[in-house]
Amino acid sequence: MSMTGTAFQKCINPDCGAEFDCGQAIFKCPACGELLDAQYNWDKIKVPKKLSEFERRWANKSNPLDFSGVWRFRDLLNFCDDKYKVTIGEGQTILQQNDAVAEYADMRAGRLYLQYEGLNPSGSFKDNGMAAAFSHANMAGVSSCACASTGNTSASVALYAHSCGLKATVFIGSGRIAFGKLSQGMDYGAQTIQIQGDFDDCMRQVQDVCTKLGLYLLNSLNPFRLEGQKTIMYRIIEGLGWEMPDWIVVPGGNLGNSSAFGKAFYELKQLGLIERIPRMAIINAAGADTLTDLVNNKKLAWNNGKVDQKIIDNYYADLSARNFSPHTCASAIEIARPVNLKKCLRAIDICNAVCRAVTDEEILEAKAIIGRHGLGCEPASAATIAGLRNLRAESVIAPDERVACVLTGHPLKDPNVTVNYHKENQGKFSNPPIEAPNDIDEIIKMLN
Ligand code: F0G
């Protein structure tokens, strides 16, 4: 606990631990280059004594901050004054118990819950983070912002930027983003820069551009974005009547969510608002499995903040030497150099998490099941169910444990993957259209 006020920024490297005012837009520790956290002086914040008290704010939902699924929990992310807070109705998402998907994943009925973050205004979980980050941008008094993206970040940035009157530039890898997402960024009025490269190339470029031109960076390097994403966990436990799940399953891309979720649970425990922390399963796509490979095979660990940087450097040097570029049908998580790697290692430690990679075939099959029996989702989100199914087969997760899978994006984000799966009969749940002549008798014959 230090600095004055309710919140401050702090370097996650325990050998550095430098602290900065919340008003600064810096994104990496100026002293040592490591990631920054938002930290709180909890003794200066009036946090409700019980989590159920947050629910009372529903009664006051004509106040936009109480309506927001992010700001309803504002005491747990108290880094800026209400006058700076931005909301466009994010976080009105649902937790659905789904027995048909449970059966597919070999879970007992009543034990599997799907958290539909695709129901956010821009169709993905990113809006949780943007509500918080754009509030910080307001507080910092910036006028232009930028991000690199596999698509959803750019859609969300573009939407929040125009609602806040900020100029937005989004960097995307040429040919690497799904059409629904690309269409949103353009429609919401962001300047779109298509770089000849993949997401990791875009991420490198945007950091340099933001530093050189003083643009506000909205990738999950931004610690305030992760503060907003913590609320996904609050809403899951709210949906469970303030009981804890046994497992949270989340796709792993740039590793912002997994990092934020670990921090959320750590803080709730520290505050005495929960008694136990659930376990977490982080699911990579097999074609972009840096985290899983580093943790499971190279034994990379948080180690009280003393992460073995050599393992990471060697790994990335090898990727470069092989000219490696990640490939998966789940384009949202097609990332080989996740910027939040170290925070994620910390979350793995907090949540006793496991990491797994799933193939594109497994993702597409799980996605078809979620579409057929649930509200649907985009490919990256379906990695959770594919991962859960494999973790059941390994008996890492028991059939009667209570599991919440975070479905991060809406099914309409990536219509091409869905249409191809069905039309080209790519899997056993393909449901292709049937060609019919323009003739009533022929059509009726086909329906019989
Ligand atoms: N699911 C979806 C639908 C995503 O768009 C992303 C990330 C993830 C999962 C992975 O989340 O990065 O927190 O591990 N999309 C980013 C983007 C990278 O640019 O839209 P993460």
Side-chain angles (χ1 to χ4, degrees):
M1 308 263 177
S2 47
M3 307 285 287
T4 53
T6 57
F8 56 98
Q9 304 186 66
K10 187 175 168 78
C11 176
I12 68 162
N13 172 4
D15 290 336
C16 171
E19 295 180 358
F20 307 92
D21 193 86
C22 268
Q24 287 181 267
I26 39 183
F27 311 122
K28 273 191 175 175
C29 176
C32 77
E34 263 310 333
L35 298 168
L36 295 170
D37 264 334
Q39 290 288 348
Y40 301 97
N41 287 318
W42 293 112
D43 54 343
K44 294 189 177 149
I45 301 171
K46 254 183 82 189
V47 179
K49 296 232 165 7
K50 276 173 43 198
L51 280 172
S52 53
E53 287 177 34
F54 286 107
E55 238 173 323
R56 292 214 197 123
R57 293 195 174 142
W58 279 115
N60 200 24
K61 60 184 184 290
S62 59
N63 169 2
L65 293 186
D66 285 337
F67 181 70
S68 165
V70 169
W71 296 121
R72 198 147 48 79
F73 299 99
R74 53 192 171 274
D75 320 74
L76 298 170
L77 49 154
N78 194 339
F79 61 82
C80 76
D81 206 87
D82 281 359
K83 69 176 184 250
Y84 298 119
K85 287 186 179 134
V86 175
T87 174
I88 54 172
E90 59 288 325
Q92 307 306 317
T93 59
I94 62 166
L95 183 72
Q96 177 199 53
Q97 188 190 302
N98 193 315
D99 287 346
V101 179
E103 190 181 338
Y104 173 75
D106 193 26
M107 296 291 303
R108 213 156 280 161
R111 306 312 283 169
L112 175 65
Y113 293 81
L114 306 178
Q115 173 70 14
Y116 284 101
E117 287 301 311
L119 299 176
N120 273 294
S122 80
S124 85
F125 73 91
K126 303 284 178 183
D127 297 347
N128 295 286
M130 294 309 165
F134 275 87
S135 301
H136 179 258
N138 259 346
M139 178 165 81
V142 304
S143 58
S144 310
C145 61
C147 70
S149 185
T150 57
N152 281 325
T153 299
S154 59
S156 186
V157 163
L159 182 57
Y160 278 81
H162 88 61
S163 73
C164 299
L166 260 64
K167 179 174 185 283
T169 305
V170 303
F171 292 71
I172 57 171
S174 199
R176 298 291 194 127
I177 98 170
F179 259 43
K181 307 174 187 182
L182 178 63
S183 70
Q184 287 179 289
M186 297 187 296
D187 211 38
Y188 299 146
Q191 181 180 47
T192 304
I193 311 281
Q194 267 183 295
I195 293 181
Q196 286 168 0
D198 57 26
F199 172 81
D200 300 301
D201 298 316
C202 294
M203 192 66 235
R204 254 193 313 266
Q205 297 292 359
V206 78
Q207 287 185 67
D208 289 348
V209 169
C210 284
T211 308
K212 288 209 162 86
L213 302 183
L215 304 182
Y216 186 87
L217 180 69
L218 281 153
N219 283 98
S220 48
L221 274 178
N222 182 322
F224 301 99
R225 237 194 75 184
L226 298 192
E227 292 306 291
Q229 288 169 217
K230 291 191 308 192
T231 65
I232 301 169
M233 294 301 105
Y234 307 152
R235 295 198 302 273
I236 286 181
I237 51 181
E238 181 181 45
L240 294 174
W242 304 109
E243 285 180 13
M244 295 306 282
D246 297 303
W247 287 87
I248 298 288
V249 187
V250 60
N254 227 358
L255 307 178
N257 267 335
S258 42
S259 300
F261 299 169
K263 185 169 187 283
F265 289 121
Y266 181 83
E267 290 171 350
L268 290 181
K269 179 104 194 303
Q270 202 185 19
L271 289 165
L273 289 166
I274 59 172
E275 280 171 11
R276 87 184 154 84
I277 291 176
R279 296 192 69 186
M280 184 156 59
I282 307 168
I283 314 297
N284 282 146
D289 65 348
T290 298
L291 176 76
T292 302
D293 204 8
L294 281 173
V295 170
N296 293 355
N297 304 326
K298 308 284 189 289
K299 305 298 169 207
L300 188 71
W302 174 240
N303 194 22
N304 292 320
K306 303 207 181 298
V307 177
D308 190 342
Q309 184 66 42
K310 263 207 302 306
I311 298 179
I312 304 173
D313 291 344
N314 288 343
Y315 195 84
Y316 289 166
D318 178 59
L319 292 185
S320 299
R322 290 190 285 127
N323 250 334
F324 178 84
S325 184
H327 282 286
T328 164
C329 69
S331 56
I333 52 174
E334 197 179 62
I335 297 172
R337 292 173 168 80
V339 295
N340 288 299
L341 178 61
K342 287 190 184 167
K343 279 189 181 175
C344 178
L345 295 173
R346 183 177 65 180
I348 289 172
D349 202 53
I350 293 168
C351 298
N352 187 17
V354 297
C355 306
R356 292 292 184 275
V358 291
T359 65
D360 279 7
E361 259 181 320
E362 290 169 328
I363 289 173
L364 289 174
E365 189 171 294
K367 180 181 162 313
I369 290 290
I370 299 161
R372 189 169 291 192
H373 301 291
L375 307 182
C377 65
E378 65 165 285
S381 315
T384 55
I385 295 299
L388 170 61
R389 192 165 189 252
N390 291 348
L391 288 165
R392 273 293 305 120
E394 285 182 47
S395 295
V396 172
I397 297 182
D400 54 358
E401 288 192 282
R402 186 147 63 168
V403 178
C405 292
V406 184
L407 300 185
T408 45
H410 196 278
L412 295 178
K413 288 283 190 175
D414 194 345
N416 292 40
V417 162
T418 309
V419 169
N420 292 343
Y421 177 82
H422 291 295
K423 264 193 126 164
E424 294 171 9
N425 269 312
Q426 288 176 358
K428 65 176 181 232
F429 299 105
S430 292
N431 178 26
I434 302 159
E435 297 279 342
N438 190 10
D439 178 296
I440 183 75
D441 297 325
E442 289 297 319
I443 292 171
I444 286 173
K445 248 193 255 165
M446 286 181 162
L447 298 183
N448 284 330

